[in-house]
Amino acid sequence: MKKAITYLMSMLLLVLPILASSASAADDGKDENRLVNSATVLKEILDVPGDIPQDLLDKADCVVVFPSVLKAAFIVGGSYGRGAMSCRKGEDFRGSWGAPSMMALEGGSFGLQIGGEATDFVLLVMNDRGASGIITSKVKLGADASVAAGPVGRTVSAETDATLRADILSYSRSRGAFVGVALEGSTIRPDNGANRKIYGKEVPARKIVLSGQVAVPPGAQPMISTLDTRTPRHKS
């Protein structure tokens, strides 16, 4: 009996590290998939004329994508949507698009607004106030940074001037319908744990997206390529 227990303990010591390694690899794979899915969602939305006005896209300092967010994630406590954010590099966000920071979207009443289908969210960060806040710490939308449902159409009319003064414009896509959506009360923050897995070390979100010193990981190349192609230059 004693030998059997010793044998079982020895087997556990051998198997547990393998299981832990497999779980870690699976988590890393989830983060890589987030980058791929973010790129797919962004390209599909930008490929449809009129979903996001081009002049707004050209004025955005950063773009955040949260793919396939489910309503259940916001009802079961503590869960949230996960995605990626890229910003234009350089002073005053005038450069090319930088490596993305992984992001988390938490809480808020908007979780009750979306149906059972997976919903994609795209956020345009329109100024330095919004961008600096998001990449530094947790930001509550509607309090720390103003947010408005983004206008849809090929051009933006003068009637939307009040909306366009917001720090962040938000959009959602579900069941093929693409609309602006209010996100007041929710919070957005860098997902530092996912960044550590993607980049292999602790790197502040601000350094990732703005410094130009962090290489774009392979999984993020499609997202950055889409942004560089669709809006290569920042327009005031």
Side-chain angles (χ1 to χ4, degrees):
M1 182 69 178
K2 193 173 182 179
K3 287 184 178 180
I5 293 174
T6 302
Y7 174 76
L8 287 173
M9 292 296 293
S10 299
M11 291 300 295
L12 283 173
L13 289 174
L14 289 172
V15 171
L16 286 176
I18 296 174
L19 293 176
S21 177
S22 298
S24 178
D27 285 343
D28 292 347
K30 287 181 181 179
D31 294 317
E32 291 287 346
N33 286 340
R34 266 203 276 167
L35 287 171
V36 173
N37 293 339
S38 294
T40 299
V41 167
L42 182 63
K43 186 177 186 305
E44 288 176 353
I45 288 173
L46 295 183
D47 280 347
V48 178
D51 269 4
I52 295 179
Q54 184 65 43
D55 48 349
L56 286 184
L57 185 62
D58 290 339
K59 292 177 181 177
D61 290 347
C62 309
V63 173
V64 194
V65 184
F66 292 101
S68 301
V69 177
L70 292 172
K71 178 178 179 178
F74 295 91
I75 296 176
V76 179
S79 296
Y80 45 78
R82 299 185 181 190
M85 174 179 74
S86 177
C87 296
R88 301 180 196 268
K89 295 179 291 186
E91 188 176 354
D92 298 326
F93 301 93
R94 299 293 174 178
S96 58
W97 292 91
S101 170
M102 309 305 285
M103 303 299 293
L105 180 69
E106 303 172 312
S109 61
F110 76 94
L112 301 176
Q113 300 171 23
I114 62 179
E117 298 288 326
T119 301
D120 306 314
F121 292 94
V122 175
L123 281 63
L124 302 185
V125 185
M126 304 305 295
N127 54 43
D128 178 75
R129 178 174 180 265
S132 296
I134 288 174
I135 59 180
T136 302
S137 62
K138 179 184 287 188
V139 167
K140 186 171 184 178
L141 301 179
D144 302 319
S146 59
V147 62
V152 176
R154 291 179 180 270
T155 59
V156 181
S157 70
E159 296 175 350
T160 63
D161 282 350
T163 297
L164 300 186
R165 286 196 291 269
D167 297 322
I168 298 170
L169 300 177
S170 53
Y171 297 87
S172 71
R173 181 183 68 167
S174 180
R175 296 181 181 178
F178 185 81
V179 297
V181 62
L183 291 177
E184 288 93 344
S186 57
T187 59
I188 184 172
R189 62 171 177 82
D191 189 342
N192 294 319
N195 279 336
R196 185 168 56 250
K197 292 174 183 176
I198 290 294
Y199 294 101
K201 58 182 179 180
E202 294 281 354
V203 188
R206 186 178 187 86
K207 182 176 181 179
I208 292 172
V209 299
L210 295 182
S211 70
Q213 300 172 5
V214 179
V216 177
Q221 290 287 354
M223 179 179 177
I224 305 307
S225 177
T226 294
L227 288 168
D228 279 334
T229 299
R230 300 304 296 266
T231 176
R233 295 182 181 82
H234 189 282
K235 296 181 180 179
S236 300

